[in-house]
Amino acid sequence: MPEPDLIQQQRAILRTFRQVTAQRAQAEADAETRRETEREVAEVALNQVRQEAGDQLGKTRKIIDKAGVVLKKWQKVLENVVPLPAPSRPGSDPPTEMRLFVSRADEALKTLKGNLPPVEEGRIQIAEGPYDVRLASILLLLMLLFAGAIIVAISNQAASGSWASVAILLLFLGLVLLLNTIYGRRTISRIRKLYGDLLQVAADAEYWYRRWLEQAQEIHRHQQAQAQTRYQQAVDNAVQTFQREMVQLHSTFAAFTARAVSLAPTWGDPFWQDWVPVPTIPPVARVGDLRAGIDMDYFLLPALLPFPSERSLLFKATGDSKPAAIQSLLLRLLATIPPGKLRFTFIDPIGLGQNAAAFMHLADYDEALVTGKAWTEPQHIEARLADLTEHMENVIQKYLRNQYATIEDYNAQAGEVAEPYRVLVVFDFPANFSEAAARRLVSIAQN
């Protein structure tokens, strides 16, 4: 039996809608992938900068550590040496500056090593601090005073020639001590300056290290923001495209809904207030509504099934909605099929007939409409399925034979519903189904 054109139209609408929805979902997924890729690239770049900047700063710190080892005997005279604040040079490139200061630190250490005088144990150590310089100055002053006293005595002819030699020796020693003191001061000053230059280079390196990281982090934030902006633009474009296509589908939806409502109105439609039994069977049965759309962009589309149909129908539901969906469909079949031309067989092993209780009122008019009651026990279930199988055998051999493919074809040829439709309703399958009952159910579904 050919499928009703309304069902074909429903399939076409749903197929188009799935394509439109898939295109939007794919566009959003692609945008998400691009954003994550760009974020990962930005993160990798930031980590590379951190690694390189850390390596450059580590080289500078190693040079400073080497200088500390070299200047171990000079620590007292270098205690108060501090670098100046690093100058801010707008427009400078932090990576270039950082690498430059590493090389400068190495050169400064070499220069410092080349200007250090030899310091030996057992000699006067000018490097031992300002107190040695003071002692040398005091000794020099005493020598000069003593030498001056001798010279005065000689000039007054109060001293012999030996004292003159002593005076000359003291003057010579004083001169040597004076020169040594001057040399020591200059040496200390030079070492302090060179050490200060080295510390300044290190301080500048620390400054440009921070500037380098700040620059990299700013670039990273900018890249992340750009990735988010591009992602949002792509998503917005996908949504706009989806909305435009949904608007184009609106007229198709409206035409389909109008036809569907004329054949299968909603339960709230005024049509049911003046309902009378119908003489013919509509080509479709309505099982509810399909929500076609994403988020707030959607249409409610009548959900139709071909009836009569060669297909079985499986409901998957939980909670209180489980029997309601089936009951709604069964009630609609009762309202759209000529009276007496529909037979129900209910199997309700868990609900003990409660799920089919509303339809048991039909037994007050004709028990055949519901085959007596809702069946729950395994032996009764198997018996009812055996009855249906036997009935199907009779229909196939008595009515259809090799002349008609389905019971619908036979009824169409007869011009009326000569043979009532049989509807098997099973709740909570496979509860209380024996292996034989399950095989019979499969056979019924296949035929």
Side-chain angles (χ1 to χ4, degrees):
M1 184 176 182
E3 196 171 55
D5 62 339
L6 198 59
I7 297 297
Q8 295 177 8
Q9 186 179 3
Q10 175 181 256
R11 292 185 185 280
I13 290 174
L14 292 176
R15 184 166 51 250
T16 302
F17 169 73
R18 282 195 295 268
Q19 292 173 351
V20 171
T21 304
Q23 290 170 358
R24 173 178 170 177
Q26 186 62 49
E28 292 179 349
D30 292 343
E32 175 70 19
T33 301
R34 285 194 299 271
R35 181 181 65 173
E36 293 306 312
T37 300
E38 291 173 356
R39 284 181 171 179
E40 290 176 2
V41 170
E43 196 68 30
V44 169
L46 177 60
N47 290 333
Q48 288 176 344
V49 169
R50 286 172 175 165
Q51 180 67 37
E52 185 177 358
D55 291 344
Q56 296 295 329
L57 183 62
K59 292 178 182 178
T60 305
R61 288 174 174 173
K62 286 182 180 179
I63 293 173
I64 299 301
D65 293 339
K66 290 180 181 179
V69 174
V70 172
L71 297 173
K72 184 176 182 180
K73 296 182 178 182
W74 300 83
Q75 291 302 314
K76 289 186 178 180
V77 297
L78 301 177
E79 287 178 351
N80 298 323
V81 179
V82 294
L84 298 174
S88 177
R89 293 189 290 272
S92 298
D93 181 43
T96 303
E97 294 286 346
M98 187 72 188
R99 298 185 187 101
L100 178 62
F101 280 109
V102 172
S103 62
R104 286 182 181 176
D106 190 51
E107 292 174 1
L109 178 59
K110 292 178 181 178
T111 303
L112 181 61
K113 287 181 177 179
N115 282 271
L116 285 178
V119 178
E120 300 177 3
E121 298 293 338
R123 299 180 54 185
I124 296 177
Q125 303 293 326
I126 62 170
E128 289 300 324
Y131 295 102
D132 294 330
V133 176
R134 292 172 188 173
L135 178 60
S137 301
I138 293 173
L139 290 174
L140 175 61
L141 180 60
L142 292 176
M143 287 180 180
L144 290 176
L145 290 175
F146 187 61
I150 294 175
I151 292 172
V152 171
I154 292 174
S155 64
N156 293 329
Q157 298 181 353
S160 64
S162 59
W163 286 104
S165 298
V166 172
I168 293 173
L169 179 60
L170 289 174
L171 287 174
F172 177 75
L173 292 175
L175 180 61
V176 171
L177 186 57
L178 176 63
L179 293 175
N180 187 58
T181 301
I182 294 173
Y183 171 76
R185 285 184 175 274
R186 288 183 177 178
T187 300
I188 292 173
S189 177
R190 185 170 63 255
I191 292 174
R192 285 174 63 88
K193 181 182 182 304
L194 292 174
Y195 183 62
D197 292 343
L198 183 59
L199 291 182
Q200 187 65 55
V201 170
D204 291 345
E206 294 278 356
Y207 169 78
W208 288 109
Y209 167 76
R210 292 191 298 271
R211 287 284 295 111
W212 193 357
L213 289 187
E214 290 171 0
Q215 181 189 72
Q217 289 168 350
E218 181 61 30
I219 293 174
H220 178 264
R221 284 192 293 269
H222 181 66
Q223 290 174 336
Q224 294 280 37
Q226 283 187 324
Q228 180 62 31
T229 299
R230 285 191 287 268
Y231 165 77
Q232 195 58 52
Q233 289 175 345
V235 170
D236 292 343
N237 291 337
V239 171
Q240 292 172 3
T241 301
F242 176 79
Q243 289 173 340
R244 285 196 300 269
E245 293 178 343
M246 288 291 283
V247 169
Q248 295 174 358
L249 287 172
H250 184 272
S251 58
T252 304
F253 279 13
F256 170 80
T257 301
R259 288 191 60 198
V261 169
S262 66
L263 293 174
T266 62
W267 288 120
D269 194 285
F271 165 82
W272 299 108
Q273 296 178 4
D274 300 320
W275 174 83
V276 292
V278 294
T280 59
I281 301 176
V284 295
R286 184 169 184 166
V287 295
D289 291 321
L290 291 174
R291 177 175 170 142
I294 299 177
D295 298 331
M296 299 303 294
D297 301 318
Y298 68 91
F299 293 107
L300 287 178
L301 193 68
L304 306 179
L305 293 175
F307 186 87
S309 173
E310 299 176 6
R311 302 180 181 89
S312 298
L313 186 61
L314 174 64
F315 281 89
K316 290 185 178 182
T318 58
D320 296 337
S321 63
K322 180 168 59 175
I326 301 177
Q327 291 169 357
S328 176
L329 175 60
L330 299 181
L331 182 59
R332 190 174 288 275
L333 292 178
L334 283 173
T336 55
I337 294 178
K341 300 304 180 181
L342 192 63
R343 301 284 190 271
F344 290 119
T345 298
F346 291 104
I347 297 176
D348 188 17
I350 301 299
L352 300 179
Q354 184 177 1
N355 293 321
F359 297 90
M360 292 298 103
H361 296 286
L362 296 174
D364 297 339
Y365 301 93
D366 185 353
E367 288 189 356
L369 295 176
V370 291
T371 58
K373 67 171 190 173
W375 305 96
T376 62
E377 296 300 323
Q379 64 274 20
H380 295 153
I381 293 174
E382 188 171 348
R384 296 292 77 74
L385 294 178
D387 292 343
L388 279 175
T389 302
E390 183 179 359
H391 175 75
M392 292 175 65
E393 292 173 353
N394 291 334
V395 169
I396 292 172
Q397 299 176 27
K398 181 178 179 180
Y399 300 120
L400 304 185
R401 299 181 181 179
N402 64 345
Q403 187 176 0
Y404 303 101
T406 65
I407 190 64
E408 290 79 25
D409 295 337
Y410 174 79
N411 286 335
Q413 180 65 27
E416 60 176 348
V417 182
E419 175 59 31
Y421 293 102
R422 308 287 175 138
V423 179
L424 172 63
V425 184
V426 179
F427 293 97
D428 298 308
F429 177 82
N432 282 4
F433 265 73
S434 64
E435 185 176 348
R439 286 197 300 268
R440 289 187 181 279
L441 182 62
V442 171
S443 177
I444 291 170
Q446 291 177 341
N447 291 278

